[in-house]
Amino acid sequence: MRKLINAPARFVDEMLEGIYAAHPDRLTYVAGDLRCLVTTRKKQGKVALATGGGSGHLPLFLGYVGDGMLDGCSVGGVFQSPSAEQMLNVTKAIHGGEGVLYVYGNYSGDIMNFDMAAEMAAMEGIRVETVIGADDVASAPRGREDKRRGVAGMFYVYKVAGAAAEDGAPLDEVKRLALKARDNVRTMGVALSACVIPEIGRPTFELDEGEMEIGMGIHGEPGVKGKALLKPADEVVDEMVRPILEDLPFRRGDEVSVLVNGLGATPKEELYVLYRRISQILSAEGIKVWHTYVGEFATSMEMAGASISLLRLDDELKKYLARPADTPFFVQGQL
Amino acid sequence: MRKLINAPARFVDEMLEGIYAAHPDRLTYVAGDLRCLVTTRKKQGKVALATGGGSGHLPLFLGYVGDGMLDGCSVGGVFQSPSAEQMLNVTKAIHGGEGVLYVYGNYSGDIMNFDMAAEMAAMEGIRVETVIGADDVASAPRGREDKRRGVAGMFYVYKVAGAAAEDGAPLDEVKRLALKARDNVRTMGVALSACVIPEIGRPTFELDEGEMEIGMGIHGEPGVKGKALLKPADEVVDEMVRPILEDLPFRRGDEVSVLVNGLGATPKEELYVLYRRISQILSAEGIKVWHTYVGEFATSMEMAGASISLLRLDDELKKYLARPADTPFFVQGQL
């Protein structure tokens, strides 16, 4: 392993200790459990937003806890779901009297635990609603969106729902907007190398230099297209963007936001080489780009590769996407 | 190569085309040369700041062009200096009547070309002053600071000088503050893998899995300490922080900002594991952390590894470090 870590079994907790030490004015934990992470700036009288999921995807998930986005996050082991009890602890800590919205990715362990947490919260008088991110078009065909994985496109759901909650929208309205963002975002990923789970110590899959896997999930799950020889970046982008455009489908005249996401080891230089081709395709298709994000938004530790997400916009989504946000991992001024 | 690129010879220009396409409202180029990058928001009546250097280090160098930081950047090939002519073109474009400060790293090619550009600018009536970043303690011993390389600590010089210029400080004052930041920052890096220059196609050096190189520069230059077996993260941090503390030296009662910088392929999770140990050491030494930055600030494409920078603060440096900044690669609200 080429990793700067101590004992693998302590990796997640030591990472969290580092995060709390680095951002003591912004992030803290509740219930004496490092893995129950909440904002230090709790606001009463607004809908609270919670997420959660496995570790190894920073800034996903906990990195979006902060002003204008989320209020709390339960943190699992590497690629493992946090427990229902941890989710409940976060829920109780962040509830500001207006209910809680859960936004997380479509993975069975997370669903089971979040559903259990929601039931327990209800018994304590906290109303919880849920929106599940499922943006990865490579993970299931059209018509089976309910089987798709949640990947980098969840950033948009957090951003829109978080801004609406900050604005004072009630729970049903925050949920409606989260669903609108969720239903209008599509993502495709490509991996050029695997990552190593510290406690396992070997790559999650084998991919030779010169190979790529199109449609790879953020845990190394295979995609619909499988392994292929690595091609020039422009051709890779073509193979990623076409299925996205056809899926929603995006049409001439649509306005979109584009998110080019590095999976961990791929430099920003390459992400911009990808964006160059994306913008050429969208321009040729008559699709207008309203705002572009390029960077690391949902990673798989040291996996090389990238994903492309497109969000179809309307005035309402633009309004909330444009709002400022300020978390230790993501800062945006008013667009 | 595990790279998402097209023809290697086109890598830098295609990256730049992607950057201009992604941030058309923020960045543009002058003299018909993609590599002469300037802000779209030129302000008259303030000192202008220019930087420049080789490509392959994003967000260094061009990523810091934006509000509250730099005004322009000349962009070289991968790990290569831009030309004096490109620097002059940027200088003329950003000059707002109050002179130009060059801030860049201590590399002979850059020095030669920036000096030539400054002379040519003077002939055109533009006053230019220069501050050279040289924060890498591993690259030359104490007393020979003039031989040290500029690495991630240059972020602090950009941030402080940029905020002072934005504040309307005159050229001599912006230079004084840039020098103060430069003289109070120290950095040490460690590499766990090399990177591949696209046009060369093989790693810049050999480092086996399980090895590390302490004191590595951002182009793969060896450090004073050379190769060693990779140790647990806490021990690596000890070996990095001790030379930093002894060098300035940092003393009990000092207040600092810490920058934990990923070199490219190292995940944020690991950077926080490093910060956990850094904060323990500083606490034990009676050194107070005022603000912490964790992320990618100066990279070597897909190199695995990290650097640690410490900036000793006074009220003046805190004031300018705290100011907001907004570039396509770095956003900070008022601290």
Side-chain angles (χ1 to χ4, degrees):
Chain A
M1 287 193 284
R2 296 186 192 265
K3 284 182 187 285
L4 290 164
I5 61 172
N6 296 301
R10 287 276 298 145
F11 172 60
V12 171
D13 288 333
E14 289 188 349
M15 168 198 81
L16 288 167
E17 288 167 8
I19 286 173
Y20 295 121
H23 310 294
D25 53 330
R26 305 298 308 275
L27 299 172
T28 188
Y29 57 95
V30 295
D33 184 346
L34 288 168
R35 300 188 182 200
C36 298
L37 180 146
V38 301
T39 176
T40 56
R41 304 184 183 176
K42 178 176 175 174
K43 287 175 190 146
Q44 286 294 331
K46 81 175 245 315
V47 171
L49 273 76
T51 191
S55 289
H57 304 299
L58 283 179
L60 201 69
F61 298 88
L62 65 88
Y64 300 116
V65 174
D67 299 343
M69 293 189 83
L70 310 176
D71 300 283
C73 176
S74 39
V75 180
V78 175
F79 298 174
Q80 293 174 348
S81 178
S83 72
E85 189 190 354
Q86 288 165 330
M87 293 165 180
L88 179 66
N89 287 334
V90 168
T91 306
K92 287 157 67 175
I94 63 176
H95 184 233
E98 299 296 325
V100 178
L101 182 68
Y102 289 168
V103 181
Y104 60 93
N106 194 15
Y107 301 96
S108 54
D110 294 319
I111 293 170
M112 190 181 73
N113 290 332
F114 268 112
D115 281 352
M116 205 182 304
E119 279 176 39
M120 294 189 287
M123 288 190 280
E124 305 204 23
I126 301 173
R127 188 180 155 212
V128 172
E129 293 288 338
T130 295
V131 171
I132 297 177
D135 50 311
D136 186 358
V137 300
S139 50
R142 279 181 76 180
R144 296 313 309 267
E145 286 81 359
D146 62 308
K147 294 286 177 202
R148 288 181 174 172
R149 304 179 291 243
V151 288
M154 287 195 293
F155 160 78
Y156 285 119
V157 187
Y158 296 149
K159 180 70 193 70
V160 167
E166 191 87 16
D167 231 31
L171 182 55
D172 290 332
E173 176 71 354
V174 176
K175 182 181 181 183
R176 181 185 69 79
L177 287 158
L179 283 170
K180 189 193 253 192
R182 194 275 305 269
D183 291 341
N184 282 284
V185 64
R186 295 292 184 277
T187 299
M188 273 285 283
V190 56
L192 272 57
S193 76
C195 61
V196 174
I197 298 173
E199 291 197 66
I200 294 176
R202 55 173 193 278
T204 46
F205 56 91
E206 291 301 329
L207 204 54
D208 289 338
E209 191 171 313
E211 285 186 335
M212 64 177 174
E213 176 111 23
I214 287 200
M216 174 72 52
I218 57 175
H219 309 98
E221 312 94 320
V224 283
K225 300 216 171 183
K227 263 184 211 181
L229 284 179
L230 180 58
K231 294 173 188 158
D234 285 359
E235 292 176 41
V236 176
V237 169
D238 292 351
E239 289 194 34
M240 294 167 80
V241 172
R242 297 289 160 199
I244 292 175
L245 294 181
E246 287 163 12
D247 194 83
L248 190 60
F250 294 85
R251 298 179 200 277
R252 186 165 293 273
D254 280 350
E255 221 173 344
V256 299
S257 175
V258 183
L259 174 66
V260 187
N261 170 58
L263 288 179
T266 288
K268 286 192 179 67
E269 285 82 358
E270 295 176 33
L271 302 182
Y272 280 101
V273 170
L274 302 184
Y275 185 70
R276 170 183 170 276
R277 179 67 187 153
I278 297 167
S279 74
Q280 289 171 350
I281 296 173
L282 296 180
S283 172
E285 296 287 334
I287 294 168
K288 187 182 166 201
V289 178
W290 182 75
H291 188 73
T292 300
Y293 296 94
V294 181
E296 292 184 350
F297 290 80
T299 63
S300 297
M301 296 185 292
E302 73 277 23
M303 188 182 283
S307 68
I308 299 169
S309 303
L310 259 66
L311 173 68
R312 182 171 56 191
L313 296 168
D314 63 7
D315 288 346
E316 197 169 52
L317 290 176
K318 279 197 269 185
K319 171 183 161 187
Y320 291 113
L321 204 55
R323 289 286 162 82
D326 190 344
T327 85
F329 291 76
F330 177 75
V331 187
Q332 172 182 297
Q334 177 75 32
L335 295 185
Chain B
M1 288 194 283
R2 296 186 190 267
K3 284 183 187 284
L4 290 163
I5 61 174
N6 296 301
R10 286 275 299 146
F11 172 60
V12 170
D13 288 333
E14 290 188 348
M15 167 198 81
L16 288 167
E17 288 167 7
I19 286 173
Y20 294 121
H23 310 294
D25 53 330
R26 305 298 308 276
L27 299 172
T28 188
Y29 57 94
V30 295
D33 183 346
L34 288 169
R35 301 188 181 200
C36 298
L37 179 147
V38 300
T39 176
T40 56
R41 304 183 183 176
K42 178 176 176 175
K43 287 175 190 146
Q44 287 293 331
K46 82 176 247 313
V47 172
L49 272 75
T51 193
S55 290
H57 304 299
L58 283 180
L60 201 67
F61 298 87
L62 66 87
Y64 300 115
V65 174
D67 299 343
M69 294 189 82
L70 309 176
D71 301 283
C73 176
S74 38
V75 180
V78 175
F79 299 175
Q80 293 174 347
S81 178
S83 72
E85 189 189 354
Q86 289 166 328
M87 293 165 180
L88 179 66
N89 287 334
V90 168
T91 305
K92 287 158 67 175
I94 64 175
H95 184 234
E98 299 297 324
V100 177
L101 183 67
Y102 289 167
V103 180
Y104 60 92
N106 194 15
Y107 300 95
S108 54
D110 294 318
I111 293 171
M112 191 181 73
N113 290 334
F114 269 113
D115 281 352
M116 206 182 305
E119 280 177 38
M120 293 188 288
M123 288 189 282
E124 304 204 22
I126 301 173
R127 190 182 155 210
V128 173
E129 293 288 337
T130 295
V131 171
I132 298 177
D135 51 311
D136 185 358
V137 300
S139 50
R142 279 182 75 182
R144 295 315 308 269
E145 285 81 0
D146 61 309
K147 295 286 177 200
R148 288 182 174 171
R149 303 180 292 243
V151 288
M154 286 195 293
F155 161 78
Y156 285 119
V157 187
Y158 296 149
K159 180 70 194 69
V160 167
E166 191 88 16
D167 231 31
L171 181 55
D172 290 333
E173 177 71 355
V174 176
K175 181 181 181 184
R176 181 186 69 79
L177 287 158
L179 283 170
K180 190 194 251 192
R182 193 275 305 267
D183 290 341
N184 281 283
V185 65
R186 295 291 184 278
T187 299
M188 273 284 284
V190 57
L192 271 58
S193 75
C195 60
V196 174
I197 298 173
E199 291 196 67
I200 294 177
R202 53 174 193 278
T204 46
F205 56 91
E206 292 299 329
L207 203 54
D208 289 336
E209 192 171 313
E211 285 186 334
M212 64 177 174
E213 176 113 25
I214 287 201
M216 174 73 52
I218 56 175
H219 309 96
E221 312 94 319
V224 284
K225 299 211 169 186
K227 265 185 209 181
L229 285 179
L230 179 57
K231 295 171 189 159
D234 285 359
E235 291 177 43
V236 176
V237 170
D238 292 351
E239 288 194 36
M240 294 167 81
V241 172
R242 297 290 160 197
I244 292 175
L245 293 181
E246 287 163 11
D247 193 85
L248 190 61
F250 293 85
R251 298 177 200 276
R252 186 164 292 272
D254 279 350
E255 220 173 343
V256 299
S257 175
V258 183
L259 173 67
V260 187
N261 170 59
L263 289 179
T266 288
K268 286 193 180 66
E269 285 82 358
E270 295 177 33
L271 302 182
Y272 280 102
V273 170
L274 302 183
Y275 185 70
R276 169 183 171 274
R277 179 66 187 155
I278 297 167
S279 74
Q280 289 172 349
I281 297 172
L282 296 180
S283 173
E285 296 287 335
I287 294 168
K288 188 183 164 198
V289 178
W290 183 75
H291 188 73
T292 300
Y293 296 94
V294 181
E296 292 184 349
F297 290 81
T299 64
S300 297
M301 295 186 292
E302 73 278 23
M303 188 182 283
S307 68
I308 299 169
S309 304
L310 259 66
L311 172 68
R312 182 172 58 193
L313 296 167
D314 63 7
D315 287 345
E316 196 169 53
L317 290 176
K318 279 196 269 185
K319 171 183 160 186
Y320 292 113
L321 205 54
R323 289 286 162 82
D326 190 344
T327 86
F329 291 76
F330 176 75
V331 187
Q332 172 183 297
Q334 177 76 31
L335 296 185

